[in-house]
Amino acid sequence: MPSFVDGPTLRSLLRPSTNGRRTKASDGGGGGGGGGIFKMFKLMPMLTSGCKMVALLGRHNRALLADHATTVTLFGHRRGRVSLAIHEDTRAPPVFLIELPMLTSALHKEISSGVVKLALESDTRSARRRLVEEYVWAVYCNGRKAGYSIRRKEASDDERHVLRLLRGVSMGAGVLPAAPEKEGGVPAGPDGELTYVRARVERVVGSKDSEAFYMINPNEGGVGGDSAGDSSAPELSIFLVRMK
């Protein structure tokens, strides 16, 4: 069975935004670097002091976001694996949560290129399940196969800690304090630092077996970014496909 990465399913999802908006991000300053959130991510060492603000936001029992925009969060310990969470409402548990078969450091390298395209394929098929409810996924990052992952039914203690801290954050990138050891977290330090990228996305449904999520440019409110000379390419795009 051919991979959808090289097939027509992906090409059908790689189309302009449904609302026709394609806006340029602010000037990336050359070198093919991404704009918007990826620029913020590259400044993470300078954002460590902002952890206190994120921690304060996380103490609220209710979310500080009023809207229900679809949100994607990539997070993980610097020397651990990266997790992906998709929220339809940040005040509720994620509708899709998976630990990707790649290290956070590898994701950082991909981010430095300015564009990250994650493709997840499921070979299982059930008429009673939504696409985001499938369990086993083959994961590709920028066209290269990273391995296989199993969707989580419930978040781990570390994942709940991150999602709680980010409850009041709509988009951004930075470093979070690790969870206390008594709560099952990794001790603070070089290995314990948690990094995150959170973005609002536009959801494009190709069919019951294919969906795509395109990062909304935080500078202009549209989809797209100035990366590698392609002003129409979102910095972050995620594709979910169930193979027939």
Side-chain angles (χ1 to χ4, degrees):
M1 179 181 296
S3 168
F4 105 97
V5 172
D6 301 315
T9 306
L10 177 58
R11 290 195 293 271
S12 68
L13 290 171
L14 288 171
R15 59 184 179 81
S17 165
T18 53
N19 59 14
R21 293 179 301 174
R22 288 290 186 184
T23 56
K24 290 186 178 181
S26 59
D27 185 8
I37 290 176
F38 279 12
K39 275 187 176 179
M40 296 170 61
F41 192 83
K42 294 171 185 177
L43 296 175
M44 277 198 307
M46 299 174 60
L47 296 176
T48 306
S49 61
C51 293
K52 294 182 179 180
M53 177 60 70
V54 176
L56 289 173
L57 291 173
R59 291 178 185 173
H60 290 272
N61 293 324
R62 295 185 304 170
L64 300 182
L65 302 177
D67 63 328
H68 296 174
T70 302
T71 304
V72 164
T73 311
L74 290 162
F75 60 93
H77 295 282
R78 286 186 182 273
R79 298 187 182 179
R81 294 189 182 274
V82 61
S83 295
L84 164 67
I86 299 176
H87 286 270
E88 291 178 349
D89 183 345
T90 54
R91 296 174 294 184
V95 297
F96 186 82
L97 177 63
I98 193 169
E99 184 180 77
L100 301 178
M102 58 187 301
L103 297 176
T104 305
S105 57
L107 177 66
H108 291 185
K109 292 180 181 178
E110 298 295 340
I111 286 177
S112 66
S113 71
V115 174
V116 174
K117 294 181 180 179
L118 293 172
L120 282 70
E121 291 181 4
S122 174
D123 287 333
T124 57
R125 186 175 178 84
S126 172
R128 296 185 179 182
R129 284 188 193 144
R130 296 171 58 198
L131 178 59
V132 294
E133 293 174 346
E134 295 293 355
Y135 289 102
V136 181
W137 298 87
V139 179
Y140 298 80
C141 182
N142 285 347
R144 296 182 294 275
K145 190 170 184 177
Y148 290 87
S149 290
I150 298 177
R151 177 181 64 84
R152 293 186 185 276
K153 288 185 177 180
E154 296 183 1
S156 66
D157 290 340
D158 250 6
E159 289 165 339
R160 282 193 290 268
H161 169 73
V162 172
L163 298 177
R164 182 172 64 251
L165 288 180
L166 296 178
R167 191 177 298 161
V169 178
S170 59
M171 63 178 65
V175 180
L176 295 171
E181 292 184 70
K182 64 180 180 181
E183 296 181 9
V186 177
D191 296 340
E193 282 187 335
L194 283 160
T195 63
Y196 77 93
V197 175
R198 169 165 281 191
R200 296 188 183 188
V201 294
E202 179 185 2
R203 179 185 178 193
V204 177
V205 178
S207 69
K208 65 179 181 179
D209 296 318
S210 61
E211 295 183 16
F213 302 86
Y214 298 101
M215 192 186 84
I216 298 174
N217 180 359
N219 296 316
E220 301 290 342
V223 177
D226 187 7
S227 177
D230 183 1
S231 62
S232 65
E235 292 177 295
L236 173 65
S237 48
I238 299 170
F239 306 93
L240 303 181
V241 171
R242 183 162 44 195
M243 304 301 291
K244 298 181 180 179

